[in-house]
Amino acid sequence: MEAVPRLPMINFDQKISPENVDFASKLKQLIASVGEDAASFEKEIKELETLRASSCIRVSETVEGVSTLKRYYCQLLFLKSRFKIGSDGPFQFSWRDIYSGTDYSVSDVMHELAAVMYNIGALHSRLGVGEDRQDSDGMKMAVAHFQCSAWAFHTLPDQFPQDSDSDLSSEVMAFKSGLCLAQAQECILEKSLLDCRKPGIVTKVCGQVVEYYKQALKQLEMSGAREMSDHVDSLLDIVGNRQSRSWRGLMDFKVFYYSSLSFLHGGLVAEEGG
């Protein structure tokens, strides 16, 4: 069964900042406020601005791009802790909504951290989709990327909760995390088929893949039901019907496809049992 086709995977767009932050003037004031010579940090401030540009404006879709995002994330955490920066911080962070395309600015460093955390997850999802899943190594790398993506999306709402109408809302993140877990499990199934694992094992892994996709689909269905009953912003309001239909179509197909594959291997198990 190693000839089973590799079905398309879903990745997520990164969140882009339309312009960089002017860290220099405000950061120099913060440095002076703790009794240090701000002029001696010119190089570090320039490096911070360059790091943000590489993380939020011109993101490299490579493993090195992930490392850049993580370095900027760590620098933000250091600034937040060192200078006690809160929701009404001294910097204006500009961002563009992923789905509406609307530009906006916030002074809350927690939103900046949330956006960078999201981009870590989104970039891992894109790298996972880009892996060549025709051999064992490619499948393993795809699993790792989708699992990292799922972790980032799952962690974001707990660490940096956002408004319910945000493109970084907990509902949107829960769906994306669940979908990436499903895709990671799908890669594990592909590896099981490539390795010609026993039909009983393949049947179980197929069942797990189907269950993960059903859970992701349930997120969309619950969102639609809540939108109709409560008239509040939901996942469907945020991402739009066209995008949600695209996701749903592929996930529905995969549920039926992998259910059929599970029945096939279940039949092989029964046949072997005589």
Side-chain angles (χ1 to χ4, degrees):
M1 294 298 292
E2 64 274 9
V4 169
R6 311 290 182 250
L7 299 183
M9 297 287 191
I10 293 171
N11 61 35
F12 300 110
D13 291 336
Q14 296 178 72
K15 191 170 176 66
I16 300 299
S17 173
E19 60 182 357
N20 211 1
V21 177
D22 178 15
F23 283 109
S25 58
K26 298 295 184 182
L27 193 48
K28 286 178 180 178
Q29 292 176 19
L30 291 173
I31 293 170
S33 71
V34 295
E36 297 192 39
D37 179 17
S40 65
F41 288 91
E42 290 277 0
K43 179 182 176 182
E44 287 77 8
I45 293 171
K46 285 291 184 185
E47 289 175 349
L48 179 63
E49 291 178 341
T50 301
L51 191 58
R52 186 183 190 273
S54 300
S55 302
C56 309
I57 300 176
R58 299 178 297 276
V59 186
S60 173
E61 292 192 7
T62 62
V63 174
E64 289 73 23
V66 175
S67 297
T68 300
L69 280 162
K70 290 179 179 178
R71 287 202 302 274
Y72 179 55
Y73 179 84
C74 291
Q75 287 296 315
L76 284 174
L77 287 177
F78 172 77
L79 289 176
K80 179 177 178 292
S81 174
R82 181 69 178 87
F83 301 112
K84 305 296 186 287
I85 300 173
S87 59
D88 189 19
F91 310 113
Q92 283 296 313
F93 302 106
S94 64
W95 285 100
R96 179 169 295 140
D97 187 283
I98 300 167
Y99 300 105
S100 71
T102 303
D103 292 347
Y104 63 93
S105 294
V106 294
S107 59
D108 188 356
V109 71
M110 295 288 278
H111 185 81
E112 180 82 349
L113 283 162
V116 176
M117 174 69 80
Y118 170 82
N119 275 350
I120 291 171
L123 183 49
H124 271 299
S125 79
R126 300 181 78 80
L127 293 174
V129 169
E131 286 291 338
D132 182 5
R133 303 182 338 261
Q134 298 301 320
D135 58 35
S136 178
D137 289 341
M139 290 173 186
K140 288 177 182 177
M141 286 303 301
V143 170
H145 282 307
F146 287 131
Q147 288 177 337
C148 288
S149 184
W151 173 85
F153 295 145
H154 176 76
T155 302
L156 192 158
D158 292 334
Q159 297 292 324
F160 316 110
Q162 301 296 304
D163 293 340
S164 61
D165 61 349
S166 167
D167 55 352
L168 304 177
S169 71
S170 59
E171 190 174 10
V172 175
M173 293 303 101
F175 167 75
K176 292 185 176 183
S177 177
L179 178 56
C180 286
L181 283 176
Q183 294 186 150
Q185 195 68 23
E186 185 177 351
C187 294
I188 292 172
L189 172 60
E190 290 174 345
K191 178 71 164 56
S192 299
L193 292 168
L194 182 69
D195 293 343
C196 297
R197 302 297 294 272
K198 292 181 178 180
I201 294 174
V202 174
T203 301
K204 290 180 180 178
V205 180
C206 277
Q208 292 168 345
V209 173
V210 170
E211 186 57 32
Y212 275 122
Y213 276 117
K214 283 183 176 179
Q215 288 296 321
L217 280 166
K218 189 176 179 181
Q219 287 282 341
L220 288 180
E221 292 165 0
M222 289 172 59
S223 176
R226 186 158 51 251
E227 179 186 21
M228 293 177 64
S229 61
D230 299 339
H231 304 290
V232 296
D233 289 315
S234 66
L235 189 157
L236 297 184
D237 290 314
I238 295 166
V239 306
N241 286 325
R242 182 177 180 180
Q243 180 65 82
S244 65
R245 283 197 301 269
S246 174
W247 289 337
R248 183 190 296 274
L250 182 55
M251 288 190 294
D252 273 333
F253 175 80
K254 287 188 175 186
V255 167
F256 287 115
Y257 178 80
Y258 289 119
S259 294
S260 299
L261 203 59
S262 178
F263 293 144
L264 170 62
H265 284 80
L268 294 175
V269 172
E271 189 177 71
E272 287 177 358

